[in-house]
DNA sequence: ATGTCTACTGATAGTAGA
């Protein structure tokens, strides 16, 4: 079984690109972030034609998350309790042998912006949501765009980035708190020294200069980690395909036994 | 080194957000 996470930066603008990726990689369950689409406008027919069911939590213009799956899932959660004002950022579903949750974590904007403390509080609520609703002894996935580079190895700036947005001790403490609830970073578990990134700014030729961050994660409980055969950051699909513009994020996928 | 992309709007160029 292949599971994946991908911040697509706008579903309407990315639809043909997403279709190409689904046809090429054939994932079974995908968490999508940054739909920037209202639920009423979600093109269910397009995904049905490709063989996917979709559960959607959308809003106008910004944010928005969805789960695509070969088999229908049972909706568990739409939105993070108490955080509705911060946008449509969480959706989860139960599949036969797996609980799958995907999140679009707040960016924070700058260290001085009000959104930065709100970002930290959002992570605190996410951890509380996990303690309340999920079981570390069950096969469970938490994936998405975390907007945190957990360690120096996850940033093109290395330790020089420490203290800047995505690299602060406060953000990294929040990420580590999720791991402490019984989650494992599947890419890092499989590639202990891997220096691959999942996001590159559109500006300044960042992709070609290698100026990236690893902020898109597949986290899994021990039962998931023990089934992992491969974890890949799909860098090829951060590039233009057939003249179609890529998202600023690459898909990340894992193959489970 | 800020050179892009997306979606929105008393739209048709400019702004906000990432």
């Amino acid at each position: 079984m292949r599971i994946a996470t991908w911040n697509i930066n706008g579903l309407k603008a990315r639809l043909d690109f997403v279709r190409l990726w689904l046809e090429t990689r054939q994932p079974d369950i995908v968490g999508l972030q940054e739909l920037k689409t209202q639920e009423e406008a979600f093109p269910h027919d397009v995904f049905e034609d490709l063989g996917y069911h979709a559960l959607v939590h959308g809003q106008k213009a910004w944010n928005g998350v969805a789960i695509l799956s070969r088999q229908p899932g049972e909706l568990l959660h739409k939105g993070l309790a108490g955080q509705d004002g911060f946008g449509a950022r969480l959706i989860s579903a139960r599949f036969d042998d797996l609980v799958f949750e995907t999140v679009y974590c707040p960016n924070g904007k700058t260290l001085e912006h009000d959104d930065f403390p709100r970002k930290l509080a959002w992570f605190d609520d996410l951890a509380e949501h996990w303690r309340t609703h999920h079981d570390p002894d069950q096969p469970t996935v938490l994936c998405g765009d975390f907007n945190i580079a957990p360690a120096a190895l996850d940033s093109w700036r290395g330790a020089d980035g420490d203290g800047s947005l995505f690299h602060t001790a406060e953000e990294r403490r929040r990420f580590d708190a999720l791991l402490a609830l019984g989650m494992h970073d599947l890419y890092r578990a499989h590639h202990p020294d891997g220096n691959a990134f999942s996001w590159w700014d559109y500006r300044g030729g960042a992709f070609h200069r290698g100026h990236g961050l690893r902020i898109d994660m597949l986290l899994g409980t021990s039962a998931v980690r023990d089934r992992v055969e491969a974890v890949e950051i799909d860098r090829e699909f951060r590039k233009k395909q057939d003249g179609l513009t890529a998202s600023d994020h690459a898909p990340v996928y894992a193959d489970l036994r």
Side-chain angles (χ1 to χ4, degrees):
Chain A
M1 178 168 75
R2 176 166 284 178
I3 61 170
T5 183
W6 193 11
N7 179 322
I8 57 175
N9 187 28
L11 180 60
K12 290 187 199 83
R14 205 71 58 219
L15 193 54
D16 288 339
F17 196 105
V18 172
R19 185 203 323 260
L20 181 64
W21 181 78
L22 291 171
E23 288 169 346
T24 306
R25 298 302 186 212
Q26 296 285 316
D28 296 291
I29 308 178
V30 186
L32 298 177
Q33 306 89 38
E34 279 210 86
L35 305 180
K36 301 183 175 180
T37 307
Q38 284 170 306
E39 256 162 82
E40 308 84 77
F42 190 90
H44 284 279
D45 53 334
V46 172
F47 291 103
E48 277 165 23
D49 287 349
L50 290 164
Y52 289 94
H53 301 263
L55 295 167
V56 183
H57 184 33
Q59 69 175 85
K60 191 174 180 180
W62 309 115
N63 309 310
V65 287
I67 299 173
L68 306 179
S69 57
R70 291 287 194 194
Q71 304 301 324
E74 174 203 343
L75 179 71
L76 290 179
H77 302 281
K78 260 192 202 191
L80 182 58
Q83 291 284 355
D84 288 340
F86 216 171
R89 297 179 179 275
L90 181 149
I91 191 167
S92 57
R94 181 187 306 281
F95 297 91
D96 288 341
D97 58 339
L98 187 72
V99 168
F100 189 95
E101 183 161 79
T102 193
V103 287
Y104 174 48
C105 304
N107 171 293
K109 295 197 175 79
T110 68
L111 298 187
E112 297 76 27
H113 197 283
D114 286 348
D115 276 9
F116 185 71
R118 289 178 77 200
K119 174 182 187 175
L120 301 178
W122 190 92
F123 273 97
D124 291 339
D125 285 357
L126 178 63
E128 185 55 34
H129 164 87
W130 263 75
R131 272 189 290 273
T132 307
H133 296 293
H134 296 291
D135 182 350
D137 295 326
Q138 294 299 313
T140 305
V141 167
L142 172 62
C143 67
D145 174 359
F146 287 82
N147 273 320
I148 296 174
L153 196 54
D154 301 310
S155 170
W156 68 277
R157 299 170 66 189
D160 290 345
D162 288 358
S164 62
L165 189 68
F166 306 142
H167 307 65
T168 66
E170 294 97 321
E171 291 164 295
R172 287 170 168 171
R173 263 202 302 277
R174 267 55 178 203
F175 186 79
D176 292 343
L178 295 173
L179 301 185
L181 291 170
M183 307 294 289
H184 306 273
D185 176 347
L186 300 185
Y187 173 84
R188 185 54 71 214
H190 215 253
H191 304 281
D193 304 312
N195 192 211
F197 306 134
S198 66
W199 171 84
W200 296 261
D201 201 307
Y202 281 125
R203 296 166 291 191
F207 182 72
H208 294 286
R209 299 161 72 135
H211 292 184
L213 302 175
R214 192 175 71 90
I215 57 178
D216 299 274
M217 316 290 179
L218 292 165
L219 308 184
T221 55
S222 299
V224 172
R225 182 203 51 191
D226 294 347
R227 290 173 59 191
V228 171
E229 288 180 320
V231 185
E232 302 298 336
I233 299 181
D234 208 349
R235 198 175 180 284
E236 205 52 33
F237 280 83
R238 175 58 178 77
K239 303 174 185 172
K240 219 176 248 291
Q241 302 286 331
D242 297 347
L244 301 169
T245 301
S247 169
D248 45 353
H249 296 252
V252 183
Y253 64 84
D255 293 327
L256 310 180
R257 272 183 278 278

